[in-house]
Amino acid sequence: MSRRVKKPLRPAGDRPKGARPYRGSPAERPQSFRPGGKPPARSAAPRAAKPAPFVPEPEKIVAEPPPLPTKVQTVVVTADENNMRVDRFLEARFPGLSFSHIQRIVRKGELRVNGKRADSKDRLEEGQSVRIPPLKLDTPKVAGKLSEAATKTLQAIKDMILYEDADVMVLNKPAGLAVQGGSGITRNVDDMLEVMRDAKGQKPRLVHRLDRETSGCLLIAKTRFAATALTGSFRHRSARKIYWALVAGVPKPKQGRISTYLAKEESEDDSIMRVAKHGDEGASHAVTYYAVVETSAQKLAWVSLKPVTGRTHQLRAHMAHIDHAIVGDPKYFNKENWELPGGLQNRLHLLARRIVIPHPRGGVIDVSAPLPPHMLQSWNLLGLEHDRFDPIENAPEE
């Protein structure tokens, strides 16, 4: 299931705004990424040799968690906990502490870092003092038969599994299922994972996020060791993600790079990511590579996307920015007088198609998700060949 990925060519510098084509001499540029050219036939796709089978290392002995604090205590962030998010820090220190309890003590300001209030997403630094209030762990579940509801939830998770070993799971998250809880959300992946909590109170952990309406590959760490390693891979950008989308119109050039700054814009009942300027408050740099795989006349295009950065709604905002919004996007579709072709569902056509990431114990995890039902229906209606060669393979990694 895993394979090594070749190091692609590095592009020249980008223009200040919008998309730009890849550059380089014809001899340097892969044929499959020739601007304006057609992708090669399926038989042209090279098949990499599979690496040696992954052999897990012996499991390390993990010390028992510290006793539950019954009064206020102050702890110091260790070197191993450097750059760890506040919520992950609490989960690691106190296995079994519920997500809702963590959010509550942070929201109330009961947890403080160096005497100041902290947000659950803030990152800690070695040597910082963390004030921890009295905590209440969830009652450990007695090993035995699961309830009927828990059994159904466990089966639902098993039905989503694309890949699993002792450390890692990759789920095929369906469109419409939230990854985490929030206002108006009654069912989410994080809560569903509670049924997999072990005898020590540990449960599988989310490593990254997908939008609620985005389907596809969602990486889950089953152990604390794996969570630390995989989170580090995302932080150091050694994780490679590929998305598929159906967009309005056909982007020109057919392969390019989108580089902007994005900032969150809040309103009374919603929030949206807008293209911002360097130096604007809250603005973060975002880079996306794209490649047109196949088109339906000039009205629609199947686009493969490779985000280099991982900003909120990055792909959706970037495609809207170059005037080729993703079909069915309720937030960013901004094409006036544009009619959805007959037979296509007005749902977000965005799939987290593939994830390639170093395995915590060596080797590479390389998993692909199939098209969700509404996108498969669109592909069939438009005559798109979902198994053809994906030209984003040759896009740069930076």
Side-chain angles (χ1 to χ4, degrees):
M1 181 170 294
S2 61
R3 63 188 180 90
R4 298 289 181 184
V5 182
K6 293 182 179 179
K7 185 71 175 177
L9 298 174
R10 184 186 300 273
D14 57 300
R15 295 186 303 186
K17 179 180 180 182
R20 68 166 184 83
Y22 292 107
R23 305 204 181 275
S25 68
E28 292 175 330
R29 188 184 306 125
Q31 180 183 359
S32 61
F33 235 85
R34 185 174 65 251
K38 293 183 179 180
R42 271 170 286 170
S43 60
R47 293 185 177 275
K50 293 184 177 180
F54 162 63
V55 179
E57 295 177 359
E59 184 74 36
K60 294 181 180 180
I61 299 175
V62 180
E64 289 296 319
L68 178 67
T70 56
K71 59 183 180 179
V72 174
Q73 66 171 348
T74 299
V75 298
V76 177
V77 179
T78 66
D80 290 340
E81 294 164 334
N82 185 56
N83 205 38
M84 186 179 284
R85 281 176 33 157
V86 168
D87 52 0
R88 298 301 185 206
F89 170 82
L90 288 171
E91 285 181 350
R93 287 262 183 162
F94 307 103
L97 193 63
S98 70
F99 173 78
S100 59
H101 190 46
I102 291 173
Q103 297 302 312
R104 186 166 59 252
I105 63 174
V106 172
R107 187 174 61 251
K108 290 183 176 180
E110 295 176 351
L111 181 139
R112 293 180 175 265
V113 178
N114 285 354
K116 298 179 180 179
R117 293 177 70 112
D119 185 86
S120 59
K121 295 181 180 180
D122 288 348
R123 298 209 176 255
L124 298 171
E125 297 178 5
E126 180 185 358
Q128 286 184 324
S129 297
V130 182
R131 175 195 182 275
I132 299 175
L135 301 176
K136 179 181 179 182
L137 292 181
D138 291 343
T139 304
K141 295 178 180 178
V142 179
K145 188 175 181 180
L146 293 173
S147 67
E148 183 178 351
T151 301
K152 288 182 178 179
T153 298
L154 183 60
Q155 186 59 50
I157 293 174
K158 289 181 177 180
D159 291 342
M160 286 189 269
I161 293 175
L162 294 170
Y163 171 83
E164 182 179 24
D165 61 29
D167 291 289
V168 180
M169 284 193 303
V170 180
L171 302 182
N172 181 19
K173 187 192 83 66
L177 176 62
V179 172
Q180 280 187 303
S183 177
I185 295 175
T186 57
R187 184 176 175 82
N188 63 81
V189 175
D190 194 37
D191 285 349
M192 292 173 70
L193 293 173
E194 287 288 345
V195 300
M196 299 185 71
R197 194 179 287 277
D198 63 21
K200 291 184 177 180
Q202 298 262 16
K203 79 166 188 177
R205 304 158 189 244
L206 300 170
V207 178
H208 66 125
R209 312 287 186 270
L210 292 177
D211 294 343
R212 184 174 184 173
E213 295 305 324
T214 301
S215 61
C217 296
L218 181 67
L219 190 63
I220 307 291
K222 295 174 66 177
T223 62
R224 186 184 305 172
F225 167 74
T228 300
L230 295 171
T231 301
S233 292
F234 275 96
R235 189 165 59 247
H236 298 119
R237 296 184 183 175
S238 52
R240 178 175 174 231
K241 295 179 288 182
I242 292 175
Y243 290 74
W244 283 0
L246 188 68
V247 304
V250 179
K252 293 181 181 180
K254 288 191 173 181
Q255 297 91 24
R257 181 178 191 261
I258 307 170
S259 175
T260 71
Y261 283 83
L262 296 175
K264 182 177 288 188
E265 191 172 88
E266 301 278 1
S267 62
E268 289 185 5
D269 42 37
D270 204 357
S271 63
I272 195 169
M273 299 300 289
R274 62 174 177 83
V275 173
K277 295 179 181 178
H278 179 46
D280 285 358
E281 184 179 358
S284 299
H285 191 215
V287 176
T288 301
Y289 287 95
Y290 73 86
V292 175
V293 184
E294 199 172 358
T295 64
S296 178
Q298 292 299 306
K299 188 169 179 70
L300 295 164
W302 161 17
V303 175
S304 189
L305 302 161
K306 182 192 285 187
V308 176
T309 52
R311 311 305 177 202
T312 302
H313 297 173
Q314 176 176 319
L315 302 180
R316 297 162 65 181
H318 268 175
M319 294 314 294
H321 173 62
I322 65 170
D323 200 31
H324 294 286
I326 298 174
V327 171
D329 191 334
K331 284 179 179 282
Y332 298 91
F333 198 92
N334 51 10
K335 308 283 286 185
E336 294 185 5
N337 302 319
W338 192 90
E339 293 185 4
L340 189 71
L344 273 63
Q345 297 182 46
N346 191 22
R347 301 181 63 187
L348 183 67
H349 282 58
L350 181 61
L351 165 70
R353 165 65 177 174
R354 182 179 172 196
I355 188 164
V356 183
I357 190 171
H359 193 287
R361 299 186 188 276
V364 176
I365 301 166
D366 187 350
V367 183
S368 295
L371 288 167
H374 71 284
M375 289 180 68
L376 181 59
Q377 179 189 39
S378 298
W379 260 238
N380 290 336
L381 287 169
L382 297 170
L384 303 176
E385 300 179 42
H386 57 80
D387 58 346
R388 73 177 297 162
F389 177 69
D390 187 348
I392 204 72
E393 289 283 339
N394 296 313
E397 300 293 333
E398 298 177 358

